[in-house]
Amino acid sequence: MADLKSVLTSIYSHLIHQENKGVIASYIPELSKQDINKFGIHLQHINGDVFSVGDWQIPFSIQSISKVLTLSKAISFINNNLWKRLDVEPSGNPFNYLSLLEQENGIPRNPLINAGAMVVADVLLSHLKNPKTDFLNYVRVLANDHSITYDEKVAASEKETGYKNYAIANLLKSFGNLKNSVDEVLDFYFHQCALKMNCEQLSKTFFMLSNKGKCLNHIQHLTAPQAKRINAIMLTCGFYDEAGEFAFEVGLPGKSGVGGGIVALLPNQFVISIWSPGLNTKGNSLLGMQALEQFTTKTNLSIF
Ligand code: GLU
């Protein structure tokens, strides 16, 4: 096996000096305070090996990466019934695109675009006793780390400026695809997006998806077929309208967020988390995409 540590270190050392680091998301004002020069990588191998470099210990806003975690939680208790309210096709559109939802009668294309994540949030609101607390505890158990929290400032900042998300939620509600109120769904959604984690916590949280549903603490959270399906959705829908490009360049299931995080995994082998807050034009971490492309090309570790 390639020496993963030296491959990651050399990718990091090379990219950290790159002049073009992308552009920090500013449509959520609180996110615009991030430092463009931050760059961290953390890899958790299924055999227990861990490699990290750069700013892997600094927490950042995981944003849309949280959609995979809410989906995992929802699938763990309603499984197939979820797919009556949601599809699993790539959208080929930006994460907050509206018109497709109207054309398709309020059934979101997939759970990883905003509309789909709101339907999943609605399911969690209907099934969890204390939704925000219970979901946070779920994430803490997955990561085996009780220090993980919501960043209330980021949640409030998005609430103030999330006009498009209000439009999406209202459209879903008008089609009868939200059972709870628009305000409740959005409050939950803005909080899940405002989860704050560092690269290590993210790798640990996603470990179960590389390990047939079993987390680092050996708790079986999902069945192996459920984990397989979530990985398939990440591969086809995890990168907005750049999902095809990510599969082409990197070849791993993964998910990005506008906070500049990307988590990707090779089933039965490893999870890798990268954070660099500068985004490319499609809203994905610019250095993160490049680092992962170089990593899978140099190591030959991809699903293809
Ligand atoms: N909270 C963000 C939004 O809804 C998530 C976007 C993302 O990370 O893709 O706009």
Side-chain angles (χ1 to χ4, degrees), residues 27-28 63-64 67 95 114 158 165 189 193 240 256-259:
Y27 77 101
I28 300 174
Q63 292 295 318
S64 274
K67 292 169 181 170
F95 56 93
N114 290 13
E158 190 168 3
N165 284 327
Y189 173 77
C193 289
Y240 319 122
S256 63
V258 292

Side-chain angles (χ1 to χ4, degrees), residues 35-261:
D35 176 356
I36 189 88
N37 294 311
K38 292 283 180 268
F39 185 26
I41 305 179
H42 181 276
L43 183 144
Q44 169 78 55
H45 202 279
I46 205 156
N47 68 10
D49 287 348
V50 169
F51 309 106
S52 40
V53 59
D55 299 309
W56 58 277
Q57 284 165 305
I58 299 183
F60 59 93
S61 188
I62 73 163
Q63 292 295 318
S64 274
I65 297 173
S66 66
K67 292 169 181 170
V68 180
L69 303 174
T70 51
L71 176 65
S72 307
K73 183 73 187 155
I75 280 187
S76 72
F77 48 68
I78 71 165
N79 211 7
N80 287 339
N81 278 338
L82 190 60
W83 308 117
K84 293 181 185 147
R85 297 174 60 185
L86 270 179
D87 212 337
V88 288
E89 292 298 337
S91 77
N93 286 307
F95 56 93
N96 55 6
Y97 192 73
L98 263 166
S99 27
L100 206 61
L101 187 60
E102 180 145 44
Q103 274 167 34
E104 296 180 354
N105 301 319
I107 303 294
R109 270 287 171 105
N110 67 68
L112 302 185
I113 52 171
N114 290 13
M118 287 175 203
V119 170
V120 174
D122 186 54
V123 168
L124 295 186
L125 283 169
S126 300
H127 283 80
L128 300 176
K129 222 168 169 196
N130 301 300
K132 282 190 282 188
T133 310
D134 294 352
F135 175 64
L136 182 59
N137 284 336
Y138 172 68
V139 174
R140 287 173 167 177
V141 169
L142 287 179
N144 196 19
D145 185 333
H146 287 256
S147 68
I148 296 171
T149 53
Y150 297 119
D151 184 332
E152 290 295 340
K153 278 193 186 159
V154 172
S157 181
E158 190 168 3
K159 189 172 183 176
E160 263 171 44
T161 53
Y163 306 112
K164 263 203 161 170
N165 284 327
Y166 278 94
I168 292 170
N170 277 294
L171 204 51
L172 285 169
K173 187 80 184 167
S174 75
F175 280 106
N177 205 0
L178 291 184
K179 312 291 174 216
N180 298 278
S181 76
V182 163
D183 283 340
E184 284 169 308
V185 171
L186 286 178
D187 180 59
F188 184 90
Y189 173 77
F190 293 147
H191 276 84
Q192 69 170 80
C193 289
L195 270 175
K196 216 169 141 181
M197 285 193 214
N198 63 31
C199 292
E200 179 186 32
Q201 290 166 330
L202 207 49
S203 296
K204 286 182 168 178
T205 306
F206 274 71
F207 182 84
M208 67 151 174
L209 290 169
S210 68
N211 192 34
K212 300 191 175 78
K214 204 185 265 187
C215 73
L216 271 168
N217 249 355
H218 310 291
I219 303 168
Q220 192 82 45
H221 294 273
L222 296 171
T223 64
Q226 287 170 335
K228 178 193 79 173
R229 293 196 199 293
I230 294 175
N231 287 335
I233 293 171
M234 283 203 284
L235 182 76
T236 50
C237 312
F239 292 83
Y240 319 122
D241 41 343
E242 206 174 20
E245 181 79 11
F246 191 79
F248 182 73
E249 300 279 351
V250 178
L252 295 174
K255 183 72 196 92
S256 63
V258 292

